[in-house]
Amino acid sequence: MAEERLNIYKVARTIKRKDNSLYNALRSIYQDSIFIGEISQLWPNLPLLANLRCGLWYFSHFESTCYFKSTDGHCNNWSFNTSRLNLHVAQLAGQKGGCMIVDSTRKGKRFPDSMSKTIPIWTCVLNRAIANYKKKMQIDGVEKEFMDSDIVNCDSHNSNKVSDDWDCSLHLPLWVSKSEMQSIEDRLDDWTKELEMSGADIASLASSLQKPLRPLWISQKSVIWLNEVPDYDSWDFTPIILVTASDSVGIVQQRASAEFSWHYISGAGDDEESWARGLTPTLFWKHSYDLINFGPDLCNQKVADIVEKDRVYRAQRGQNAPQFNIRSQMLVAGSHLSNEDKGLDSSILYKNIKVEDMDENNPVSWLGSTSLALGSIQLVANCCNEIDCLLNCDSESTSICLPDADAYLHLPIVTSKYDRFSLLSNLPSALKFAKLNLRRGKTLLVCCRTGEDISVCICLAILASLFDDGGSFDDGDSFKQTCINKWEMRKRLVFICKFATKARPSRGNLRQVFNFLNRDTVHSVS
């Protein structure tokens, strides 16, 4: 009986693997992308953004990306994270009058928690911070006028005007319970204070947003009358339209095309390491027609051919080209990479937005006037003429042509998921290299696999150790006289994220930086 039961379990797992096959995932993504295309045409002037990482799969072209985590919206785990401010989204919405964000979720839900709660919390906190800023500006204006004229017209300077006109309320979808909504509202004031204390550029947001932010939700079950689509310019808010690509089916659906039958997978783009076999969103859309029409029998081989040809193409041009190994339908692409570091194509991730603090044509992010920059090692070949020194923090070395042989340092650092002390043990060498070259007035580029995690943490350590609060290099003098607490770290991280909008450092790596900055031995770095 036990063996019979085991066989039943094996059969069930076999069926599940078949239902979740590569072809079914790609076919489901392709099917859902049609809906995204239709929605994008309702408001063609609004920019379309993908929420990393799942949302990247559901359309062939996005204007940019953002990173709102579902875990920040989980019940009893609500959070407003200052390391993921996504301020470029608010600035872009202010420039364009709104924006659309695409994501997806597994079966059983209409929307992921990132859309149900994380983004609504984000819009509310930003609105409150902007309202507080405008109110402060009004009060300061009244005080200045009083000093200039000794006369104050109280009727024309009502300090409550901003709070009355500017919507600071929390807007959640109807399926969020009242008790959960109340629990979130109880935390909003504290989150707003955290944002204001983080050093974020609220003034820039206030100037770019003429109307408060407000989320709207659209799914495949939404009813939209095409002859009555409202003009977003007529709304009294700046819309953040949240579009979930997947169909919220409760059971596996068998579907059929002209030649092949297939199982629909809701939220198929999620957890790409378990099914994508090295395929990236950009590669998929470049070959989507062939992949869909080759059918389930030839799909795996076709994907393997595409991935290998792309790897060879990159290798021939000196770009990062890891070998992909397939084992039990799991992608083991470079054992030192975390789930968040794999499968993201640089042509989408590093498409710049026209905001005040970014250089649209530069493949790396320069951190203000600090002579520091960060980026992806895959793009470093395009900007070698702009830098004096390179610190490569990827697990693999790369051949780089620089005038000075001492201007290149490779530190094979892996993410905290694979080694909890890899970054911590390499930070002293990174600081010595940075200090030596910044003393000479040279520019320094810090690179990692994606330019989003390890390189961000290295730059954070450099800014905290070698620069003063004003962003000027002081050879570590101010650092020797102070103790870096979590708030000081957050301020510097917010500064980095202002220029590197795709930065998303992991908590484990940030913890290593904090521990490093608070060790006695760090003061002896020379």
Side-chain angles (χ1 to χ4, degrees):
M1 180 63 70
E3 185 171 345
E4 181 180 352
R5 189 183 302 116
L6 179 61
N7 290 337
I8 293 175
Y9 292 151
K10 290 177 65 176
V11 170
R13 288 196 297 270
T14 301
I15 293 174
K16 184 177 181 180
R17 283 197 298 268
K18 183 177 180 181
D19 291 343
N20 294 333
S21 68
L22 178 60
Y23 181 79
N24 286 338
L26 296 180
R27 191 68 176 83
S28 300
I29 290 170
Y30 186 84
Q31 183 73 24
D32 290 337
S33 71
I34 298 174
F35 169 70
I36 299 300
E38 292 172 348
I39 297 300
S40 67
Q41 290 305 308
L42 296 180
W43 297 282
N45 293 327
L46 291 184
L48 193 66
L49 282 68
N51 193 29
L52 298 173
R53 291 179 303 155
C54 183
L56 274 173
W57 287 93
Y58 286 93
F59 204 59
S60 57
H61 175 71
F62 288 99
E63 183 154 342
S64 186
T65 61
C66 54
Y67 187 44
F68 295 97
K69 290 191 70 173
S70 288
T71 52
D72 292 335
H74 287 176
C75 189
N76 296 321
N77 191 48
W78 314 285
S79 175
F80 178 85
N81 200 313
T82 53
S83 65
R84 294 184 289 272
L85 286 180
N86 291 287
L87 296 184
H88 67 289
V89 178
Q91 290 176 328
L92 186 61
Q95 292 172 3
K96 303 293 186 178
C99 68
M100 291 184 280
I101 299 177
V102 175
D103 204 349
S104 184
T105 187
R106 293 291 188 178
K107 63 182 180 180
K109 285 186 176 181
R110 289 181 64 185
F111 291 85
D113 285 342
S114 61
M115 290 184 165
S116 294
K117 283 163 283 187
T118 304
I119 296 179
I121 289 172
W122 173 80
T123 58
C124 183
V125 171
L126 261 59
N127 285 337
R128 293 189 176 205
I130 292 172
N132 291 342
Y133 172 81
K134 290 189 174 184
K135 185 176 180 179
K136 181 178 182 298
M137 291 298 101
Q138 285 184 350
I139 294 174
D140 291 345
V142 170
E143 293 176 348
K144 184 177 186 301
E145 184 175 343
F146 178 80
M147 294 175 64
D148 292 342
S149 64
D150 293 334
I151 298 175
V152 179
N153 186 344
C154 295
D155 293 334
S156 61
H157 297 285
N158 185 356
S159 62
N160 294 323
K161 182 178 180 182
V162 172
S163 59
D164 292 340
D165 296 343
W166 194 266
D167 184 10
C168 295
S169 56
L170 176 65
H171 295 277
L172 292 173
L174 296 176
W175 55 86
V176 177
S177 67
K178 291 183 179 180
S179 60
E180 187 173 3
M181 181 176 182
Q182 184 60 50
S183 298
I184 295 174
E185 286 181 333
D186 292 342
R187 294 164 169 80
L188 288 173
D189 288 340
D190 290 338
W191 289 332
T192 303
K193 291 178 182 178
E194 287 184 16
L195 174 61
E196 293 170 340
M197 294 175 62
S198 70
D201 191 357
I202 306 299
S204 177
L205 286 179
S207 63
S208 62
L209 283 169
Q210 304 303 314
K211 304 175 184 178
L213 298 167
R214 182 170 176 176
L216 301 174
W217 295 268
I218 295 179
S219 72
Q220 293 197 30
K221 294 186 180 298
S222 300
V223 178
I224 301 176
W225 300 100
L226 296 180
N227 60 337
E228 297 181 4
V229 176
D231 185 359
Y232 61 88
D233 287 335
S234 64
W235 295 335
D236 60 354
F237 56 86
T238 301
I240 305 294
I241 302 176
L242 308 177
V243 187
T244 182
S246 53
D247 188 2
S248 56
V249 295
I251 59 175
V252 176
Q253 288 189 351
Q254 180 76 18
R255 301 188 181 184
S257 59
E259 299 180 19
F260 310 108
S261 63
W262 51 283
H263 290 279
Y264 175 77
I265 303 174
S266 180
D270 193 20
D271 191 22
E272 60 196 31
E273 286 79 21
S274 65
W275 60 268
R277 294 174 171 258
L279 192 68
T280 64
T282 298
L283 283 177
F284 167 63
W285 286 109
K286 186 178 180 180
H287 303 277
S288 59
Y289 181 83
D290 289 339
L291 289 173
I292 298 303
N293 286 279
F294 267 90
D297 294 335
L298 300 177
C299 181
N300 287 11
Q301 183 58 49
K302 184 65 177 177
V303 167
D305 293 342
I306 291 172
V307 171
E308 179 60 17
K309 287 180 181 178
D310 180 69
R311 189 192 69 80
V312 172
Y313 176 86
R314 290 178 179 274
Q316 290 174 343
R317 285 154 181 79
Q319 300 175 0
N320 187 271
Q323 179 70 50
F324 290 94
N325 298 315
I326 308 300
R327 183 175 62 193
S328 299
Q329 292 191 328
M330 295 294 291
L331 177 63
V332 189
S335 60
H336 297 310
L337 297 180
S338 70
N339 287 346
E340 295 183 353
D341 289 336
K342 292 179 284 189
L344 300 180
D345 186 84
S346 58
S347 65
I348 293 180
L349 285 178
Y350 295 93
K351 181 181 176 67
N352 290 308
I353 311 170
K354 293 180 180 179
V355 296
E356 180 181 359
D357 298 311
M358 295 184 64
D359 183 355
E360 183 186 8
N361 298 315
N362 206 321
V364 300
S365 300
W366 289 92
L367 306 184
S369 57
T370 62
S371 300
L372 273 177
L374 62 86
S376 167
I377 194 64
Q378 297 179 354
L379 302 179
V380 69
N382 300 327
C383 57
C384 284
N385 58 336
E386 301 177 20
I387 59 163
D388 300 321
C389 309
L390 175 65
L391 174 57
N392 177 15
C393 304
D394 189 22
S395 57
E396 299 179 4
S397 181
T398 302
S399 298
I400 301 295
C401 294
L402 290 173
D404 186 357
D406 295 331
Y408 175 78
L409 175 64
H410 175 227
L411 297 175
I413 304 175
V414 298
T415 186
S416 59
K417 180 178 180 180
Y418 296 98
D419 187 339
R420 291 185 299 165
F421 305 104
S422 178
L423 178 59
L424 181 63
S425 60
N426 282 282
L427 276 174
S429 299
L431 262 293
K432 287 182 179 180
F433 181 76
K435 193 171 188 178
L436 176 64
N437 289 284
L438 292 173
R439 275 177 176 173
R440 300 172 179 174
K442 296 182 179 295
T443 57
L444 174 63
L445 173 61
V446 183
C447 288
C448 63
R449 177 63 58 92
T450 63
E452 299 173 357
D453 187 0
I454 295 175
S455 59
V456 174
C457 292
I458 294 287
C459 287
L460 178 61
I462 294 173
L463 285 175
S465 302
L466 304 177
F467 289 77
D468 61 19
D469 291 339
S472 299
F473 178 75
D474 66 354
D475 209 23
D477 292 339
S478 59
F479 178 67
K480 295 176 182 178
Q481 303 172 8
T482 186
C483 178
I484 299 294
N485 55 31
K486 291 184 178 180
W487 275 113
E488 292 298 323
M489 267 192 55
R490 286 183 182 180
K491 288 181 180 180
R492 287 165 174 78
L493 182 58
V494 168
F495 172 79
I496 292 174
C497 293
K498 178 181 179 180
F499 303 97
T501 59
K502 302 301 185 294
R504 49 190 188 122
S506 66
R507 183 176 300 177
N509 286 336
L510 287 175
R511 186 181 297 112
Q512 292 180 69
V513 174
F514 180 75
N515 292 337
F516 172 80
L517 294 176
N518 284 276
R519 294 192 314 182
D520 293 336
T521 54
V522 73
H523 296 286
S524 65
V525 175
S526 58

